[in-house]
Amino acid sequence: MAAPECQDGTKTGINVDVEAKAAESKTSDSVGSRGFTQEIPRYRTIREKIPPLRYLGRLENWLERLANVETQGIDRIPDEERKPPSLLNAFLMWFSFNGHIASVPVGLLGPEFGLSLQLSMAAIVIGVLLGSFFTAYCATLGPKLGLRAIGIARYSFGFWGAKLCAVINILLNVGFGVVAVVFSGQLLTAVSNYTMTVSVGCVIICVVAYVVSIFGFGIIHTFEKYAWIAAFVLACVLTGQAAPKMDVNAPSSYEGLPLAASFLTFLAINFAYAAAWCSVVSDYYCNYLSTTPAWKIFSVTYAGVTIPTVFILAVGACVGNAAFSYEPWGETYEENGLGGLIGAIYQPHGWSEFALVICTFTVLGTVIAANYSVGLAAQLLGDHFHAVPRLVWSFVAMVACLLLGVIGNSSLSLIIQNFTSMLGYWSVCFAVIVFLEDKWFRRHSGYDLDAWDNPKALPIGAAAVLTLVIGYCAGGVPGMDQTWFVGPIAAAFGGIGGDVGIYLAFVISIIVYLPLRTLEIRLTGR
């Protein structure tokens, strides 16, 4: 079936009800001649009325002219205004986002949970392969709609419900940033032979990441295209230098049900680590043309997420195996954290210092992505939030990452274990809702692209919000195994418990959303 045409005759590739668009455009923001929203007067009016926001807006425009700082914000990007990088960029971008040394502590959790190296590797491969599917699918919606991730969520969660998604997304990205910042701080502390505090290292990495993030989409794609190379080389060297102390035949610390519990918990963490990008991924794809085949976007993203993530988490499992097999390294890990452990593995001392410095700056990719996506998610909280330039919200994100990093720098392992599992419950519910909305409820009607910022034309969002709450509370909570709470289903495994919340949340979200959304459409007509 041929793709419908816009008013100027260009193909949109998306089914739209033209009559509905014409009717709704009277109540929405000003619409350009090509059938999409050109500007959003509400936030521009607010920005002009409030002097501090007016001056910040002028500063942003000046920075755009001076240094090509991105000022796009959350507005939908029409095809003729998009500046798509090559698909190779999208592939390599994930090597920098996930393939750096800061991902090593996630893989290290396998041996820390008492799993053998073989079982740790199995959990990594299975978890990442499954989780990457959600991220890769959500990536296809960026070119299709030209919207950021939470803007796309409005077509299922509604105008108001998407604000909840924005808040969760902000917390998610700040959490990712904290993990990377703390680890970077530990590395720099090890470089200084522990004469510099972790807090100082956190400050350095936060400031550098913020400066890069404010330049936006273009510079991020360029930076990430090359930053992964050093990280890959250093990870290979790290594995090689840890290999002599590894005990690949060491058995798991548990048997029977406790062993199954540890395996499922670690698998869930790996799943969540790969799937967590689903609620931000289209932020980095909305500049690709809507005519880009979805299978290409999916394939590039799936491979891009899977390959570096499996690789670096496997490196983490090897490092963990060596640390728990060789007592001096185990003691270093206990006393100085993972940064100290990696510093001890890299030898000789001169090489160790050089490698740790380079490792620190390869971690920038995660912090940059966190700052960038927080700035976009914050603008979706409302018109007044939208009126604040993205570079301001990215600065707030940087400060939050810094403060939390300084406070929690002594508990990196617990932060990773609890945060990664918690974000997994949200990610799987979000991905299921967006997938069902796109492939089932909009398989014929498509999307009214003029409606993305019009509350009266968007869905009510009750079905999506209820599904998220029910999936989280009825699936995630009973099945979660956290330091501060073990759900009744997780506790049934005995011993340390087994985290099965992600699997339960996935099934429950499917069961709940289909009937609730069907009812919502029948009652409201949208």
Side-chain angles (χ1 to χ4, degrees):
M1 181 178 180
E5 296 184 353
C6 294
Q7 293 177 12
D8 66 348
T10 59
K11 301 285 186 180
T12 67
I14 303 169
N15 298 322
V16 219
D17 186 334
V18 178
E19 292 182 0
K21 281 177 36 177
E24 289 163 3
S25 65
K26 297 177 182 179
T27 60
S28 66
D29 304 313
S30 61
V31 178
S33 62
R34 288 178 174 83
F36 49 75
T37 304
Q38 296 270 23
E39 62 177 357
I40 305 175
R42 295 194 303 273
Y43 87 83
R44 295 187 185 278
T45 302
I46 292 170
R47 181 178 289 182
E48 288 302 315
K49 285 183 177 179
I50 303 176
L53 295 182
R54 184 167 64 249
Y55 295 133
L56 286 171
R58 292 175 182 174
L59 172 63
E60 185 182 47
N61 292 332
W62 178 75
L63 289 173
E64 180 185 26
R65 294 191 300 270
L66 179 69
N68 200 30
V69 168
E70 179 185 310
T71 60
Q72 177 66 39
I74 60 171
D75 301 350
R76 180 178 176 268
I77 308 173
D79 263 340
E80 60 268 29
E81 293 181 13
R82 299 183 193 182
K83 301 174 182 178
S86 71
L87 287 175
L88 178 62
N89 277 44
F91 176 71
L92 295 177
M93 174 181 71
W94 294 105
F95 280 69
S96 290
F97 279 173
N98 287 347
H100 49 70
I101 299 295
S103 299
V104 165
V106 179
L108 188 143
L109 289 176
E112 194 166 322
F113 287 171
L115 295 176
S116 67
L117 184 60
Q118 291 82 358
L119 284 179
S120 296
M121 294 294 186
I124 289 169
V125 172
I126 296 171
V128 172
L129 287 175
L130 293 175
S132 297
F133 173 86
F134 293 92
T135 297
Y137 172 74
C138 290
T140 65
L141 298 178
K144 181 177 181 179
L145 303 182
L147 288 167
R148 312 291 182 166
I150 303 303
I152 293 171
R154 285 181 172 180
Y155 286 97
S156 47
F157 285 86
F159 186 85
W160 303 104
K163 296 179 188 293
L164 172 63
C165 297
V167 171
I168 297 174
N169 218 24
I170 290 170
L171 296 176
L172 182 153
N173 281 284
V174 169
F176 263 124
V178 169
V179 171
V181 164
V182 170
F183 182 64
S184 299
Q186 289 184 353
L187 293 177
L188 290 177
T189 300
V191 171
S192 69
N193 199 25
Y194 307 104
T195 58
M196 182 180 76
T197 66
V198 174
S199 300
V200 174
C202 292
V203 171
I204 294 172
I205 205 71
C206 279
V207 171
V208 175
Y210 171 70
V211 171
V212 177
S213 70
I214 64 173
F215 285 92
F217 180 90
I219 192 65
I220 288 176
H221 266 271
T222 302
F223 176 86
E224 309 296 357
K225 183 178 180 180
Y226 302 104
W228 68 273
I229 300 173
F232 175 76
V233 172
L234 290 171
C236 291
V237 174
L238 180 67
T239 307
Q241 294 201 291
K245 306 301 181 184
M246 289 170 54
D247 184 359
V248 296
N249 296 316
S252 299
S253 302
Y254 305 102
E255 294 181 353
L257 206 56
L259 176 61
S262 293
F263 181 82
L264 287 173
T265 300
F266 186 51
L267 191 152
I269 289 174
N270 290 293
F271 174 95
Y273 195 71
W277 291 98
C278 69
S279 60
V280 300
V281 61
S282 64
D283 292 352
Y284 306 98
Y285 286 84
C286 57
N287 265 289
Y288 287 95
L289 299 176
S290 61
T291 53
T292 308
W295 69 266
K296 285 187 178 180
I297 296 293
F298 180 92
S299 301
V300 164
T301 307
Y302 189 80
V305 174
T306 300
I307 295 172
T309 307
V310 168
F311 169 74
I312 202 67
L313 297 188
V315 170
C318 291
V319 169
N321 177 275
F324 295 117
S325 300
Y326 183 54
E327 187 173 344
W329 285 355
E331 293 174 354
T332 300
Y333 178 58
E334 291 295 327
E335 294 174 5
N336 301 312
L338 187 57
L341 172 61
I342 293 177
I345 294 174
Y346 280 132
Q347 291 299 325
H349 182 68
W351 159 250
S352 177
E353 290 184 334
F354 172 78
L356 290 178
V357 171
I358 301 302
C359 282
T360 299
F361 290 99
T362 64
V363 175
L364 280 171
T366 294
V367 189
I368 291 168
N371 285 343
Y372 181 71
S373 289
V374 165
L376 295 171
Q379 288 187 326
L380 278 157
L381 291 174
D383 293 332
H384 285 81
F385 291 88
H386 192 178
V388 178
R390 179 184 59 82
L391 59 87
V392 175
W393 292 121
S394 293
F395 179 79
V396 173
M398 180 202 71
V399 173
C401 287
L402 177 58
L403 293 177
L404 292 173
V406 170
I407 294 170
N409 66 68
S410 61
S411 306
L412 180 60
S413 179
L414 286 178
I415 292 173
I416 294 171
Q417 178 183 344
N418 292 302
F419 166 71
T420 308
S421 294
M422 292 291 290
L423 68 88
Y425 312 142
W426 139 257
S427 297
V428 71
C429 294
F430 176 87
V432 165
I433 291 168
V434 171
F435 178 84
L436 291 176
E437 183 69 29
D438 183 62
K439 292 301 182 185
W440 182 256
F441 293 104
R442 295 185 183 272
R443 66 191 188 278
H444 299 307
S445 62
Y447 296 81
D448 179 354
L449 299 180
D450 290 343
W452 80 272
D453 198 44
N454 182 1
K456 295 181 180 180
L458 290 166
I460 299 298
V465 172
L466 283 174
T467 299
L468 180 63
V469 173
I470 293 171
Y472 201 96
C473 294
V477 173
M480 74 168 50
D481 175 25
Q482 305 297 323
T483 305
W484 48 273
F485 178 77
V486 179
I489 298 177
F493 284 91
I496 61 172
D499 197 318
V500 292
I502 286 178
Y503 318 113
L504 294 174
F506 174 75
V507 175
I508 290 174
S509 297
I510 295 174
I511 294 173
V512 171
Y513 189 65
L514 287 170
L516 285 183
R517 181 67 173 123
T518 300
L519 180 62
E520 181 180 79
I521 292 173
R522 288 181 179 177
L523 293 178
T524 66
R526 47 190 168 116

